[in-house]
């Protein structure tokens, strides 16, 4: 939607803001100003001149020597335009003026005749396309006036992004109303008064509506004896600056009122009506109609027609027909101003593939109470610019009056929703400034104006108050709160938490395609379980991925081929698998992979490759941050991992996923020659186990007591099993247990290994005695000997 700043100033004579400020105010109130630019090129040094005398050039028959009066002096200029004549008002570029095409005016001689300045064409001035004839101005324009002032060229155009629910902002009057509500000035409505002749309009035309749903209101006014001619240049230029081509005075006036008031109008050549009546009806299925654009269209009953009782003359709210269009021979016009149902207009517009400035507004919802005002405004302009006699009154057919809601607004609710204290008087003033009628004290009874079809609920009124108050004046809170806050779903919370934790630990998140190559993924086994696509893009992308590990390996390969050796990546996404002959399932998974070295290459550090314990540490760190209870690892024997280097992850005896060192044959399938370690977890199972709330306890007041213990056990016994067993002993004051050393070698018997644990005891109530600690430690040793055949290592 294009808006003229000068037009806004005509509607708000005391407008307080310059174009940039207007753009900012509108943007901050919800109507975004996408751009702001001058309407026309700057034409400094171009003035209105009066051609007083013309002589033929003695040396060139196609040149004329013109004496041009510019007010305080007369200048001589040579002109070759075929249409230059004595008595014309013209645009004269004086010496020093710089035209839009870069030409700078200087005094010169043309075939021996001195020429000062240049009489310009529209093309040379950058305000039109006519290049082979000079611009001839209206005789009423004052000699010596700057051209920019005479044609109202010094203007700014705001391009606004108007949301579909704000049809009231599709006009200069609507935007002016917004600016006044924001405190920009006082609205001045355009003039609508005009004289009428004694003949009643109702005696000249009958209006009948057969479809009051599609057309709730229709008005007709008749103006006789009009003169069809080009519009004044100032009107044509303003319309063209707003994207509408000037055609003739009558058509231009209807477009002018459309842009000014937001209400579409249509002028018919009334002499082309076969009857003195207007009948609004639905089209007959298959009925043909020739629109103004010269296209014959086949209609359905979804289209609403304006007819003269027999023949269609327009598709209601969309476009008129060729038969009744205003032409150079038109003398008597019927001016239509109506309200058409938005849904009816939209349905017909979409079906016909026909969009116009009128349909754009009608299908969003025009103001049914603006019908008469728009008609009066157009009639006044027609009398000014086309003459004619206006018949007395207008025919207003309004069978079913459109009603507008009354909405209750609780003054305390306004403050609750917006989040700051809003005095009820301020709420009342804002709504009143927007055109709402407000009654009541603590609970307002608000009458919605006819031009605001988007206001139906209490919260709509609160939004109006907030945006006029200006969102910048509402302080930001560090965290959301209050009764209106909707908490994030648990899966979103967990996703954000995992992403934050892993990114904080140096991982990069990946997003990969779900379509995969079956041959490559066969290395994971279970070909029969792949979900095959019925219509794949190619054979290489014919299955849905069965896991995320393969996607990460593809990413590892991509990075290694580009000499990025240190890789830490993760992804949260869906995997797909068969659950029956024609049954499928999809689940969210979390996977991560690491490869390369622990540290970036540096002279002060040794380069150490990552190993399985690096991945285990990352996994344990993630699960600890998520507060996942009772985590344990169990050996895994599947082919995806190297022997004795793959594990299942359990929590509360439920398998959540797996991790380990990727097997050589898997890496070969993905053309990877470096060691890769990965884990993959069923996100949905994890979601059920991760607690949403955290419990905190105060810092301990009493000192701990640390004990170390080294035991020799069978090499097949896992340290995790021993840790879990010690915790299940429920030793008094046991606070923490951790493995800090593992040894296999000459100092222990074959088939055995040495595990060293650090045990920490602490009481929340008092300092532990040596005797209490030794008693717990002795019980622990006896349990390990009995259950695992452990021997203390001296």
């Amino acid at each position: 939607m294009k808006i003229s700043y000068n037009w806004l100033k005509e509607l708000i004579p005391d407008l307080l803001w310059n174009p940039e400020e207007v753009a900012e105010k509108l943007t901050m109130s919800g109507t975004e100003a996408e751009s702001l630019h001058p309407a026309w090129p700057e034409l400094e040094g171009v003035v209105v001149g009066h051609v007083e005398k013309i002589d033929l050039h003695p040396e060139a028959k196609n040149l004329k020597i013109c004496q041009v009066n510019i007010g305080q002096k007369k200048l001589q200029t040579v002109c070759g335009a075929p249409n230059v004549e004595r008595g014309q008002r013209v645009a004269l570029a004086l010496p020093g003026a710089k035209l839009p095409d870069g030409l700078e005016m200087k005094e010169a001689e043309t075939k021996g005749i001195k020429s000062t300045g240049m009489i310009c064409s529209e093309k040379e001035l950058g305000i039109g396309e006519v290049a082979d004839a000079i611009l001839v101005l209206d005789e009423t324009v004052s000699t010596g006036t700057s051209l920019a002032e005479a044609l109202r060229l010094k203007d700014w155009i705001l391009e606004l992004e108007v949301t579909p629910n704000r049809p009231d902002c599709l006009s200069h009057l609507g935007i002016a109303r917004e600016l006044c509500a924001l405190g920009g000035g006082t609205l001045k409505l355009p003039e609508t008064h005009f004289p009428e002749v004694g003949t009643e309009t109702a005696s000249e035309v009958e209006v009948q509506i057969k479809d009051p749903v599609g057309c709730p209101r229709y008005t007709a006014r008749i103006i006789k004896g009009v003169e069809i001619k080009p519009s004044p240049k100032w009107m044509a230029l303003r319309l063209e600056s707003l994207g509408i081509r000037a055609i003739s005075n009558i058509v231009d006036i209807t477009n002018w009122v459309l842009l000014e008031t937001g209400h579409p109008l249509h002028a018919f050549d009334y002499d082309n009506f076969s009857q003195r009546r207007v009948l609004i009806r639905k089209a007959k299925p298959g009925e043909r109609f020739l629109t103004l654009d010269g296209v014959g269209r086949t209609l359905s009953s979804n289209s609403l027609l304006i007819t003269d009782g027999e023949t269609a003359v327009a598709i209601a709210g969309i476009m008129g027909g060729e038969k009744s269009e205003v032409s150079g021979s038109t003398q008597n016009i019927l001016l239509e101003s109506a309200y058409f149902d938005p849904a009816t207009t939209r349905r017909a517009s979409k079906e016909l593939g026909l969009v116009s400035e009128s349909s754009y507004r009608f299908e969003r919802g025009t103001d049914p109470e603006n019908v008469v005002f728009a008609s009066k405004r157009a009639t006044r302009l027609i009398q000014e610019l086309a003459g004619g006699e206006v018949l007395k009154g207008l025919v207003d057919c309004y069978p079913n009056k459109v009603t507008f809601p009354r909405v209750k607004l609780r003054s305390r609710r306004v403050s609750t929703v917006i989040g700051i204290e809003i005095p009820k008087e301020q709420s009342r003033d804002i709504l009143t400034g927007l055109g709402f009628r407000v009654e009541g004290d603590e609970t307002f009874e608000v009458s919605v104006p006819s031009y605001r079809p988007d206001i139906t609920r209490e919260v709509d009124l609160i939004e109006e108050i907030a945006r006029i108050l200006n969102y910048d004046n509402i302080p930001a809170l560090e965290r959301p709160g209050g009764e209106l806050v909707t908490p994030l779903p648990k899966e979103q919370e967990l996703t954000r938490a995992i992403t934050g934790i892993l990114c904080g630990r140096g991982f990069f998140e990946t997003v990969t395609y779900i379509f995969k190559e079956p041959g490559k993924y066969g290395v994971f086994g279970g070909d029969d379980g792949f979900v095959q696509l019925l219509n794949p893009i190619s054979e290489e992308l014919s299955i849905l991925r069965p896991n995320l590990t393969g996607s990460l390996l593809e990413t590892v390969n991509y990075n290694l081929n580009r000499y990025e050796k240190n890789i830490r990546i993760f992804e949260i996404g869906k995997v797909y698998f068969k659950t029956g002959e024609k049954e499928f399932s999809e689940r969210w998974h979390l996977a991560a992979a690491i490869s390369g070295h622990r540290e970036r290459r540096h002279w002060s550090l040794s380069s150490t490759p990552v190993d399985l314990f690096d991945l285990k540490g990352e996994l344990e760190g993630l699960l600890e941050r998520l507060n996942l209870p009772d985590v344990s690892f169990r050996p895994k024997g599947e082919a995806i991992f190297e022997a004795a280097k793959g594990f299942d992850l359990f929590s509360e005896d439920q398998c959540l996923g797996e991790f380990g060192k990727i097997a050589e044959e898997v890496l070969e399938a993905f053309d990877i020659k470096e060691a890769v370690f990965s884990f993959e977890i069923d996100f949905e199972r994890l979601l059920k186990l991760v607690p949403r709330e955290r419990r905190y306890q105060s810092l301990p007041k009493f000192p701990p007591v640390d004990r170390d213990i080294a035991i020799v056990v069978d090499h097949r016994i896992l340290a995790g099993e021993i840790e879990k067993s010690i915790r299940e002993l429920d030793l008094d004051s046991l606070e923490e247990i951790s493995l800090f050393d593992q040894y296999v070698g000459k100092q222990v018997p074959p088939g055995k290994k040495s595990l060293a644990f650090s045990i920490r005891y602490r009481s929340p109530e008092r300092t532990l005695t040596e005797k209490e600690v030794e008693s717990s430690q002795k019980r622990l040793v006896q349990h390990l000997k009995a259950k695992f055949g452990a021997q203390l290592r001296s």
Side-chain angles (χ1 to χ4, degrees):
M1 175 66 188
K2 292 183 177 181
I3 292 291
S4 159
Y5 176 73
N6 281 356
W7 208 334
L8 293 176
K9 287 180 68 178
E10 292 166 12
L11 295 169
I12 313 174
D14 57 347
L15 182 60
L16 299 175
W17 303 313
N18 61 35
E20 290 81 5
E21 291 170 327
V22 167
E24 181 185 3
K25 295 288 184 182
L26 290 173
T27 298
M28 294 309 298
S29 65
T31 305
E32 182 186 359
E34 294 184 317
S35 68
L36 175 67
H37 55 82
W40 299 107
E42 193 171 341
L43 296 174
E44 294 295 333
V46 182
V47 299
V48 176
H50 180 215
V51 181
E52 295 186 337
K53 183 181 178 183
I54 294 180
D55 296 310
L56 293 177
H57 195 291
E59 299 296 329
K61 293 181 180 181
N62 62 328
L63 298 180
K64 297 173 184 178
I65 304 170
C66 304
Q67 305 298 324
V68 184
N69 186 343
I70 61 170
Q72 296 181 352
K73 59 181 178 179
K74 298 179 181 180
L75 300 175
Q76 175 178 284
T77 183
V78 176
C79 180
N83 67 323
V84 64
E85 294 179 4
R86 181 175 175 274
Q88 290 176 334
R89 297 288 196 280
V90 296
L92 182 68
L94 302 175
K98 192 171 183 178
L99 298 182
D101 61 2
L103 180 63
E104 188 172 348
M105 293 295 100
K106 297 178 182 178
E107 286 192 1
E109 282 192 7
T110 304
K111 294 187 178 293
I113 302 297
K114 181 180 178 182
S115 181
T116 303
M118 181 176 76
I119 302 176
C120 300
S121 67
E122 289 183 357
K123 183 79 170 179
E124 289 164 334
L125 295 169
I127 60 173
E129 295 302 319
V130 178
D132 57 356
I134 62 166
L135 172 64
V136 180
L137 303 172
D138 190 76
E139 293 180 358
T140 59
V141 178
S142 300
T143 300
T145 308
S146 75
L147 185 69
E149 181 181 341
L151 298 182
R152 308 179 193 179
L153 297 178
K154 289 187 177 179
D155 195 5
W156 288 83
I157 302 299
L158 295 93
E159 297 205 25
L160 306 180
E161 178 64 36
V162 180
T163 55
N165 67 321
R166 291 300 306 275
D168 60 303
C169 289
L170 294 173
S171 69
H172 285 76
L173 189 57
I175 296 300
R177 192 185 292 121
E178 286 282 294
L179 293 173
C180 291
L182 292 166
T186 305
L187 184 66
K188 178 187 175 184
L189 293 176
E191 292 292 337
T192 58
H193 300 293
F194 51 85
E196 297 175 318
V197 297
T199 306
E200 293 283 346
T201 302
S203 67
E204 295 281 337
V205 64
E206 174 195 354
V207 175
Q208 183 183 3
I209 299 175
K210 280 198 170 183
D211 183 9
V213 174
C215 177
R217 188 177 192 182
Y218 191 97
T219 70
R221 192 185 298 276
I222 295 175
I223 307 157
K224 292 188 173 183
V226 298
E227 180 188 359
I228 308 300
K229 58 184 178 180
S231 297
K233 200 63 183 176
W234 57 265
M235 173 177 274
L237 287 173
R238 178 172 287 183
L239 289 174
E240 288 172 7
S241 72
L242 296 170
I244 294 182
R245 181 173 60 89
I247 298 172
S248 68
N249 52 358
I250 299 296
V251 177
D252 293 349
I253 286 168
T254 60
N255 285 327
W256 183 277
V257 175
L258 168 76
L259 297 177
E260 186 174 56
T261 70
H263 202 89
L265 305 172
H266 192 77
F268 297 99
D269 186 330
Y270 196 41
D271 293 330
N272 288 334
F273 277 43
S274 61
Q275 300 183 54
R276 305 291 91 181
R277 66 190 297 232
V278 174
L279 175 68
I280 300 99
R281 63 169 173 82
K282 287 184 177 179
K284 301 169 186 176
E287 186 171 355
R288 294 283 294 174
F289 181 70
L290 184 64
T291 47
L292 278 172
D293 56 4
V295 178
R297 302 178 187 275
T298 302
L299 310 178
S300 74
S301 59
N302 288 327
S303 295
L304 191 66
L305 291 178
I306 311 299
T307 75
D308 60 8
E310 293 181 355
T311 308
V313 293
I315 303 174
I318 300 176
M319 188 174 287
E322 276 196 347
K323 179 182 176 183
S324 61
E325 72 173 319
V326 172
S327 64
S329 61
T330 299
Q331 292 183 332
N332 304 314
I333 64 171
L334 183 144
L335 182 64
E336 168 194 286
S337 182
Y339 172 71
F340 298 112
D341 173 56
T344 301
T345 308
R346 185 182 305 114
R347 194 160 44 242
S349 175
K350 300 301 180 190
E351 185 178 271
L352 295 170
L354 185 58
V355 179
S356 63
E357 290 286 346
S358 295
S359 68
Y360 181 78
R361 286 163 176 80
F362 277 127
E363 68 182 37
R364 282 160 176 76
T366 57
D367 179 3
E369 298 302 305
N370 195 32
V371 169
V372 174
F373 177 82
S375 177
K376 287 182 176 180
R377 176 58 176 159
T379 304
R380 177 187 173 93
L381 291 172
I382 288 171
Q383 267 204 339
E384 286 182 3
L385 304 179
E389 294 180 336
V390 182
L391 300 195
K392 192 173 182 179
L394 84 164
V395 177
D396 186 356
C397 191
Y398 200 178
N400 298 322
K401 188 172 177 62
V402 180
T403 58
F404 311 101
R406 290 169 63 87
V407 181
K408 290 187 182 297
L409 175 65
R410 295 162 286 175
S411 55
R412 288 303 310 162
R413 184 68 172 168
V414 176
S415 300
T416 301
V417 174
I418 295 178
I420 60 174
E421 189 66 29
I422 309 292
K424 60 183 179 181
E425 294 79 10
Q426 188 175 12
S427 296
R428 183 192 298 273
D429 290 344
I430 289 173
L431 292 175
T432 302
L434 286 167
F436 296 84
R437 192 170 73 251
V438 183
E439 300 170 349
D441 188 21
E442 290 297 328
T443 299
F444 297 146
E445 187 82 19
V446 182
S447 298
V448 179
S450 57
Y451 51 80
R452 291 302 303 272
D454 58 309
I455 305 297
T456 59
R457 305 170 298 166
E458 182 182 50
V459 72
D460 295 333
L461 294 172
I462 296 172
E463 182 183 7
E464 292 297 294
I465 293 169
R467 69 183 187 83
I468 298 300
L469 185 66
N470 195 324
Y471 297 118
D472 279 349
N473 293 328
I474 302 174
L477 300 176
E478 291 187 1
R479 62 176 62 191
E483 61 183 67
L484 296 179
V485 173
T486 302
L488 285 175
K490 187 178 178 182
E491 55 268 24
Q492 272 194 4
E493 281 188 351
L494 183 59
T495 299
R496 291 186 181 186
I498 291 172
T499 301
I501 292 168
L502 290 178
C503 288
R505 298 179 75 92
F507 281 78
F508 290 89
E509 185 174 12
T510 66
V511 179
T512 56
Y513 292 117
I514 63 172
F515 304 128
K516 300 298 178 184
E517 178 186 349
K520 181 183 293 185
Y521 276 73
V523 72
F524 293 111
D527 293 16
D528 295 337
F530 291 159
V531 178
Q532 300 280 345
L533 296 176
L534 292 177
N535 188 23
I537 299 171
S538 66
E539 182 60 32
E540 289 74 25
L541 300 171
S542 60
I543 65 167
L544 297 178
R545 64 185 176 194
N547 57 51
L548 289 182
T549 300
S551 292
L552 294 185
L553 291 176
E554 290 173 350
T555 306
V556 169
N557 169 267
Y558 182 90
N559 281 271
L560 290 174
N561 288 341
R562 286 153 182 80
Y563 301 100
E564 182 58 52
K565 302 296 185 181
N566 299 324
I567 301 167
R568 300 167 74 85
I569 55 176
F570 76 97
E571 181 170 357
I572 300 173
K574 282 187 175 182
V575 299
Y576 307 82
F577 47 89
K578 274 187 176 181
T579 56
E581 183 62 29
K582 293 185 177 181
E583 295 179 353
F584 309 94
S585 180
E586 59 182 58
R587 294 185 69 85
W588 286 92
H589 276 204
L590 159 69
I594 62 174
S595 182
H597 294 83
R598 289 176 188 158
E599 305 88 7
R600 289 189 176 275
R601 188 175 181 182
H602 192 267
W603 61 269
S604 66
L605 299 172
S606 58
S607 184
T608 307
V610 294
D611 59 21
L612 183 60
F613 292 100
D614 290 289
L615 179 72
K616 181 173 179 286
E618 296 293 354
L619 180 56
E620 288 178 324
L622 171 64
L623 299 178
E624 183 179 353
R625 290 282 300 278
L626 295 177
N627 202 26
L628 190 69
D630 189 26
V631 176
S632 62
F633 306 105
R634 301 177 189 176
K636 184 179 184 68
E638 293 185 10
I640 183 176
F641 299 119
E642 284 190 7
K645 292 186 179 180
F647 299 85
D648 283 324
L649 167 65
F650 281 82
S651 178
E652 297 184 353
D653 291 327
Q654 183 175 2
C655 183
L656 297 183
E658 60 188 13
F659 78 97
K661 182 180 181 181
I662 300 295
E664 290 290 336
E665 56 268 29
V666 176
L667 294 179
E668 286 177 8
F670 289 85
D671 195 24
I672 297 173
K673 296 179 174 59
E674 305 291 335
V676 179
F677 305 86
S678 76
F679 68 76
E680 184 160 346
I681 296 173
D682 189 313
F683 181 88
E684 296 178 31
R685 291 180 185 172
L686 181 68
L687 180 66
K688 294 178 181 178
L689 294 177
V690 171
R692 196 160 189 173
E693 296 181 351
R694 286 180 175 269
R695 295 186 177 275
Y696 297 89
Q697 61 186 34
S698 59
L699 292 172
K701 297 179 181 180
F702 300 96
V705 177
D706 292 329
R707 290 287 187 269
D708 292 343
I709 182 173
I711 57 174
V712 177
V713 294
D714 189 280
H715 74 281
R716 293 169 294 184
I717 297 174
L718 300 176
E721 293 179 31
I722 296 174
E723 285 187 19
K724 182 179 179 182
S725 180
I726 293 174
R727 293 184 190 282
E728 290 174 348
L729 265 177
D730 195 23
L731 294 172
D732 292 339
S733 307
L734 176 66
E735 182 180 80
E736 184 180 331
I737 177 171
S738 60
L739 177 72
F740 69 87
D741 186 44
Q742 173 181 286
Y743 174 74
V744 176
K746 295 180 180 180
Q747 303 300 320
V748 296
K752 302 285 186 178
K753 63 182 177 181
S754 172
L755 301 175
F757 296 91
S758 176
I759 314 293
R760 171 166 286 189
Y761 299 95
R762 191 199 308 262
S763 169
E765 302 169 351
R766 56 188 172 78
T767 301
L768 293 172
T769 65
E770 184 71 19
K771 184 177 180 180
E772 291 172 324
V773 174
E774 287 300 326
S775 174
S776 295
Q777 193 74 352
K778 183 177 179 181
R779 184 182 166 198
L780 183 152
V781 171
Q782 290 174 346
H783 171 76
L784 295 178
K785 286 181 178 179
K787 185 169 184 176
F788 299 104
Q791 296 180 347
L792 286 179
R793 188 179 175 201
S794 58

